[in-house]
Amino acid sequence: MREYDAERDADRVSERTVHDDLEISENHMVSGRSIHTEYEIHVGMADVYYVRQSAVDAVETELDLDLETLEYRSGGEIVAVPDAEVDR
């Protein structure tokens, strides 16, 4: 997940371009005596998926997943946008 950069991202951020939710799949690969958990964040066809910081915070609180350090698959780059930037 990339950190929001106001200078780089400001022209692409609005209420219409920033998502309120994240769709996360948790897959378990069972092989012999080991189990591997893999996460995937679905972003559709987006190359950059802007999501509200409050949605990222909810993932961390409700699912106990830190998206800053979690290894996950995704078809696009995920950028958490501070809610105040979206609501201007």
mmCIF file of all heavy atoms in Angstrom, residues 25-29 36-40 71 73:
data_model
loop_
_atom_site.group_PDB
_atom_site.id
_atom_site.type_symbol
_atom_site.label_atom_id
_atom_site.label_comp_id
_atom_site.label_asym_id
_atom_site.label_seq_id
_atom_site.Cartn_x
_atom_site.Cartn_y
_atom_site.Cartn_z
ATOM 1 N N SER A 25 -10.153 -10.997 0.265
ATOM 2 C CA SER A 25 -10.346 -12.447 0.339
ATOM 3 C C SER A 25 -9.187 -13.049 1.123
ATOM 4 O O SER A 25 -8.047 -12.626 0.993
ATOM 5 C CB SER A 25 -10.343 -13.074 -1.059
ATOM 6 O OG SER A 25 -11.421 -12.620 -1.813
ATOM 7 N N GLU A 26 -9.520 -14.042 1.914
ATOM 8 C CA GLU A 26 -8.515 -14.779 2.669
ATOM 9 C C GLU A 26 -8.553 -16.216 2.158
ATOM 10 O O GLU A 26 -9.591 -16.871 2.226
ATOM 11 C CB GLU A 26 -8.840 -14.731 4.157
ATOM 12 C CG GLU A 26 -7.855 -15.477 5.020
ATOM 13 C CD GLU A 26 -8.218 -15.375 6.478
ATOM 14 O OE1 GLU A 26 -9.187 -16.044 6.908
ATOM 15 O OE2 GLU A 26 -7.546 -14.605 7.182
ATOM 16 N N ASN A 27 -7.443 -16.676 1.613
ATOM 17 C CA ASN A 27 -7.361 -18.024 1.063
ATOM 18 C C ASN A 27 -6.381 -18.851 1.881
ATOM 19 O O ASN A 27 -5.315 -18.371 2.255
ATOM 20 C CB ASN A 27 -6.890 -17.980 -0.394
ATOM 21 C CG ASN A 27 -7.793 -17.135 -1.248
ATOM 22 O OD1 ASN A 27 -8.981 -17.360 -1.302
ATOM 23 N ND2 ASN A 27 -7.225 -16.127 -1.889
ATOM 24 N N HIS A 28 -6.747 -20.090 2.136
ATOM 25 C CA HIS A 28 -5.884 -20.982 2.901
ATOM 26 C C HIS A 28 -5.407 -22.105 1.992
ATOM 27 O O HIS A 28 -6.214 -22.789 1.365
ATOM 28 C CB HIS A 28 -6.636 -21.578 4.094
ATOM 29 C CG HIS A 28 -7.185 -20.535 5.000
ATOM 30 N ND1 HIS A 28 -6.402 -19.841 5.893
ATOM 31 C CD2 HIS A 28 -8.443 -20.043 5.141
ATOM 32 C CE1 HIS A 28 -7.159 -18.982 6.549
ATOM 33 N NE2 HIS A 28 -8.410 -19.086 6.107
ATOM 34 N N MET A 29 -4.103 -22.265 1.911
ATOM 35 C CA MET A 29 -3.504 -23.346 1.138
ATOM 36 C C MET A 29 -3.036 -24.410 2.130
ATOM 37 O O MET A 29 -2.177 -24.145 2.964
ATOM 38 C CB MET A 29 -2.307 -22.843 0.333
ATOM 39 C CG MET A 29 -2.579 -21.605 -0.468
ATOM 40 S SD MET A 29 -3.834 -21.889 -1.684
ATOM 41 C CE MET A 29 -3.596 -20.507 -2.728
ATOM 42 N N HIS A 36 -0.854 -22.283 4.655
ATOM 43 C CA HIS A 36 -0.401 -20.950 4.248
ATOM 44 C C HIS A 36 -1.636 -20.096 3.985
ATOM 45 O O HIS A 36 -2.542 -20.509 3.271
ATOM 46 C CB HIS A 36 0.461 -21.045 2.980
ATOM 47 C CG HIS A 36 0.820 -19.728 2.406
ATOM 48 N ND1 HIS A 36 1.744 -18.895 2.987
ATOM 49 C CD2 HIS A 36 0.374 -19.087 1.300
ATOM 50 C CE1 HIS A 36 1.838 -17.794 2.262
ATOM 51 N NE2 HIS A 36 1.022 -17.888 1.228
ATOM 52 N N THR A 37 -1.666 -18.920 4.583
ATOM 53 C CA THR A 37 -2.772 -18.000 4.373
ATOM 54 C C THR A 37 -2.326 -16.905 3.424
ATOM 55 O O THR A 37 -1.263 -16.316 3.598
ATOM 56 C CB THR A 37 -3.233 -17.371 5.701
ATOM 57 O OG1 THR A 37 -3.606 -18.425 6.598
ATOM 58 C CG2 THR A 37 -4.421 -16.449 5.495
ATOM 59 N N GLU A 38 -3.149 -16.655 2.430
ATOM 60 C CA GLU A 38 -2.842 -15.642 1.426
ATOM 61 C C GLU A 38 -4.023 -14.677 1.355
ATOM 62 O O GLU A 38 -5.177 -15.100 1.395
ATOM 63 C CB GLU A 38 -2.640 -16.333 0.078
ATOM 64 C CG GLU A 38 -2.365 -15.416 -1.059
ATOM 65 C CD GLU A 38 -2.156 -16.185 -2.344
ATOM 66 O OE1 GLU A 38 -3.172 -16.527 -2.989
ATOM 67 O OE2 GLU A 38 -1.002 -16.456 -2.678
ATOM 68 N N TYR A 39 -3.719 -13.391 1.245
ATOM 69 C CA TYR A 39 -4.761 -12.374 1.175
ATOM 70 C C TYR A 39 -4.761 -11.736 -0.208
ATOM 71 O O TYR A 39 -3.718 -11.579 -0.834
ATOM 72 C CB TYR A 39 -4.532 -11.288 2.225
ATOM 73 C CG TYR A 39 -4.639 -11.815 3.629
ATOM 74 C CD1 TYR A 39 -3.512 -12.242 4.321
ATOM 75 C CD2 TYR A 39 -5.871 -11.912 4.257
ATOM 76 C CE1 TYR A 39 -3.617 -12.747 5.599
ATOM 77 C CE2 TYR A 39 -5.983 -12.414 5.538
ATOM 78 C CZ TYR A 39 -4.841 -12.829 6.207
ATOM 79 O OH TYR A 39 -4.954 -13.336 7.473
ATOM 80 N N GLU A 40 -5.947 -11.382 -0.662
ATOM 81 C CA GLU A 40 -6.079 -10.684 -1.931
ATOM 82 C C GLU A 40 -7.059 -9.533 -1.748
ATOM 83 O O GLU A 40 -8.121 -9.701 -1.150
ATOM 84 C CB GLU A 40 -6.583 -11.623 -3.016
ATOM 85 C CG GLU A 40 -6.703 -10.969 -4.366
ATOM 86 C CD GLU A 40 -7.077 -11.945 -5.463
ATOM 87 O OE1 GLU A 40 -7.305 -13.132 -5.191
ATOM 88 O OE2 GLU A 40 -7.151 -11.491 -6.617
ATOM 89 N N GLU A 71 1.448 -8.829 3.461
ATOM 90 C CA GLU A 71 1.705 -9.208 2.081
ATOM 91 C C GLU A 71 0.389 -9.676 1.489
ATOM 92 O O GLU A 71 -0.280 -10.540 2.033
ATOM 93 C CB GLU A 71 2.737 -10.337 2.020
ATOM 94 C CG GLU A 71 4.131 -9.877 2.368
ATOM 95 C CD GLU A 71 5.158 -10.952 2.114
ATOM 96 O OE1 GLU A 71 5.011 -11.726 1.144
ATOM 97 O OE2 GLU A 71 6.107 -11.023 2.902
ATOM 98 N N ARG A 73 -2.001 -9.933 -2.494
ATOM 99 C CA ARG A 73 -2.056 -9.776 -3.947
ATOM 100 C C ARG A 73 -3.125 -8.746 -4.263
ATOM 101 O O ARG A 73 -4.138 -8.666 -3.583
ATOM 102 C CB ARG A 73 -2.421 -11.091 -4.626
ATOM 103 C CG ARG A 73 -1.370 -12.144 -4.532
ATOM 104 C CD ARG A 73 -1.725 -13.365 -5.337
ATOM 105 N NE ARG A 73 -3.059 -13.870 -4.956
ATOM 106 C CZ ARG A 73 -3.801 -14.636 -5.717
ATOM 107 N NH1 ARG A 73 -3.391 -15.003 -6.905
ATOM 108 N NH2 ARG A 73 -4.980 -15.060 -5.314
#
